[in-house]
C-alpha cells in the first residue's frame, strides 16, 4: 500500500491500535479521520494530534454506518482507505452466558456487522479512487480461538474469512485488502488493565507499518506470524494449550 497522500478513515481510532495507526499515518502526510462512540475520547485524540478529523459514530448501528458514508462522501470525497479497527472483547463462560445475550449480540454487531457492512458501503467509492485499500484488524485469535473469549474469537474468524473473499472480489477493482492479526497488545481492549501483559503498542504499530511498506497483505506480529504458517493440527493444539493454561490460572472462570 502507498503510505502517503491518502485520505484514511479509521474506526475506533481514538485509542489503542487505531490511534497508534492514526499517529503514524499523520506522520506520513495522510489526511486521517477517526470515529468512535465516546466524544471525549475523540476530542482527547484531537487535542494530541490537531490535524485529526473526528466524528462520533457507533459502527454497530446500521443508521450510523449509513450516515457516516454520506458524511464522508460530502466532506472527504477523496477517501481511499478504510481501516476497520473498532472492536470489543468479552469473556464468556458458555454455561452461564445466555442471560447476557444482549452483551454478546453487541460484540457480534461491533466486530462483524460493522466491518462487513462498512466494507460493502465504501467499496464502490474506493473502487473509483487510486491506491485504495481496506485494512481489516482481525486477531491472532482468528486463527487459534481463545476459548475464554469464544464469541470474540468467532467474530475475528468471520472477519478473516470475509477478508479473503473481499480481497478476491475487489482485486479487479484495484482495491487492496490487507488483514492485520494483532496478538496480545497493551491497550484497553476488554477493559482498562486487562491487556497490560500484552506487547508494547508502539513496537506492534511500527512492525505493522513495516509490513504495509513491504506490501504484505496478511500482517502478523510475534505469535500470529507463526500461526499464519502453522498447520490445522498445530493451530488446534495451540488452542488447547492456551485453554489449559488459562483454566489452570483462572479457577473462578
Ligand atoms: N489489544 C489486543 O490485544 C488486540 C489483539 C488482537 C486484536 N485486537 C483488535 O484490535 C482492534 C483495536 O483494539 P484495541 O486493542 O486498540 O482496543 P481499544 O483501545 O479498546 O480500542 C478499541 C476502539 O474501538 C472503539 N469502538 C468500540 N466499539 C465501537 C463502536 N461500536 N463504534 C465505534 N467505535 C467503537 C473504541 O472507542 P469507543 O469505546 O469510544 O467507541 C476504541 O477507541 C480491535 O478490533 C481488537 O479486537 C486487539
Amino acid at each position: 500500500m502507498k503510505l502517503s497522500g491518502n485520505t484514511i478513515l479509521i474506526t475506533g481510532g481514538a485509542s489503542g491500535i487505531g490511534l497508534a495507526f492514526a499517529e503514524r499515518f499523520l506522520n506520513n502526510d495522510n489526511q486521517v479521520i477517526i470515529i468512535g462512540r465516546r466524544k471525549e475520547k475523540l476530542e482527547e485524540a484531537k487535542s494530541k494530534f490537531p490535524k485529526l478529523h473526528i466524528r462520533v459514530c457507533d459502527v454497530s448501528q446500521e443508521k450510523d454506518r449509513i450516515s457516516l458514508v454520506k458524511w464522508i462522501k460530502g466532506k472527504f470525497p477523496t477517501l481511499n482507505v478504510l481501516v476497520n479497527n473498532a472492536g470489543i472483547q468479552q469473556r464468556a463462560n458458555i454455561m452461564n452466558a445466555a442471560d447476557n445475550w444482549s452483551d454478546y449480540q453487541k460484540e457480534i454487531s461491533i466486530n462483524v456487522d460493522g466491518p462487513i457492512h462498512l466494507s460493502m458501503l465504501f467499496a464502490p467509492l474506493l473502487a473509483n479512487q487510486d491506491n485504495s485499500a481496506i485494512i481489516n484488524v482481525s486477531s491472532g485469535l482468528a486463527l487459534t480461538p481463545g476459548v475464554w473469549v469464544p464469541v470474540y474469537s468467532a467474530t475475528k474468524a468471520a472477519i478473516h474469512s470475509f477478508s479473503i473473499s473481499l480481497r478476491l472480489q475487489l482485486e479487479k477493482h484495484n482495491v487492496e485488502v490487507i488483514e492485520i492479526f494483532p496478538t496480545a497488545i497493551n491497550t484497553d481492549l476488554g477493559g482498562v488493565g486487562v491487556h497490560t501483559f500484552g506487547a508494547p503498542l508502539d513496537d506492534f504499530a511500527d512492525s505493522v507499518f513495516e509490513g504495509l511498506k513491504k506490501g504484505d497483505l496478511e500482517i502478523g506480529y510475534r505469535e500470529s506470524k507463526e500461526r499464519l504458517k502453522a498447520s490445522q493440527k498445530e493451530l488446534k493444539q495451540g488452542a488447547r494449550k492456551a485453554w489449559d493454561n488459562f483454566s489452570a490460572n483462572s479457577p473462578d472462570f
Side-chain angles (χ1 to χ4, degrees):
M1 142 181 201
K2 188 165 89 72
L3 279 186
S4 60
N6 303 295
T7 305
I8 303 176
L9 170 65
I10 305 178
T11 71
S15 66
I17 291 172
L19 186 59
F21 287 178
E23 179 183 2
R24 282 157 182 79
F25 280 128
L26 284 174
N27 290 341
N28 279 285
D29 284 328
N30 297 283
Q31 193 171 34
V32 181
I33 305 122
I34 59 167
I35 62 163
R37 293 168 299 180
R38 287 168 297 169
K39 192 165 179 248
E40 68 281 8
K41 277 306 255 188
L42 292 163
E43 283 167 350
E44 194 182 301
K46 188 167 170 62
S47 66
K48 205 166 164 199
F49 304 111
K51 284 191 174 160
L52 280 175
H53 300 276
I54 60 174
R55 179 176 164 97
V56 172
C57 172
D58 181 343
V59 299
S60 72
Q61 303 297 314
E62 183 181 358
K63 63 171 183 9
D64 276 28
R65 297 190 293 259
I66 290 171
S67 72
L68 171 69
V69 178
K70 267 195 200 144
W71 179 77
I72 289 280
K73 282 183 178 166
K75 278 200 87 155
F76 301 98
T78 57
L79 187 99
N80 65 330
V81 179
L82 165 67
V83 184
N84 281 310
N85 164 75
I88 64 166
Q89 183 189 78
Q90 299 168 129
R91 289 185 178 183
N93 178 335
I94 288 164
M95 292 302 286
N96 56 31
D99 288 347
N100 302 319
W101 171 241
S102 62
D103 291 340
Y104 300 113
Q105 200 173 32
K106 186 166 109 187
E107 192 172 19
I108 294 168
S109 301
I110 296 172
N111 295 5
V112 180
D113 297 12
I116 291 183
H117 191 205
L118 286 175
S119 299
M120 291 172 173
L121 288 165
F122 278 107
L125 175 68
L126 299 183
N128 275 329
Q129 313 283 3
D130 292 330
N131 304 305
S132 24
I134 296 179
I135 300 178
N136 288 333
V137 179
S138 66
S139 170
L141 299 184
L143 306 169
T144 305
V147 177
W148 55 99
V149 286
V151 179
Y152 175 83
S153 300
T155 66
K156 295 299 185 176
I159 291 308
H160 176 44
S161 168
F162 182 70
S163 299
I164 295 169
S165 303
L166 192 64
R167 181 173 302 124
L168 296 178
Q169 279 209 20
L170 298 190
E171 213 167 50
K172 64 172 179 279
H173 301 285
N174 294 320
V175 181
E176 207 166 53
V177 175
I178 298 162
E179 183 177 359
I180 295 171
F181 301 78
T183 46
I185 310 297
N186 187 358
T187 68
D188 289 346
L189 188 72
V192 178
V194 173
H195 268 88
T196 47
F197 62 90
L201 180 57
D202 283 332
D203 184 67
F204 164 73
D206 288 341
S207 153
V208 168
F209 269 64
E210 285 306 311
L212 292 176
K213 244 183 244 167
K214 278 195 276 165
D216 294 348
L217 297 182
E218 289 193 329
I219 303 179
Y221 175 71
R222 296 190 181 175
E223 301 94 303
S224 66
K225 253 190 192 161
E226 299 309 313
R227 281 182 211 170
L228 279 165
K229 294 183 279 187
S231 67
Q232 284 300 319
K233 190 174 166 199
E234 287 166 330
L235 291 174
K236 285 190 183 119
Q237 282 169 344
R240 171 166 292 285
K241 197 171 156 206
W243 172 234
D244 288 347
N245 189 30
F246 176 87
S247 300
N249 290 305
S250 312
D252 298 334
F253 180 72

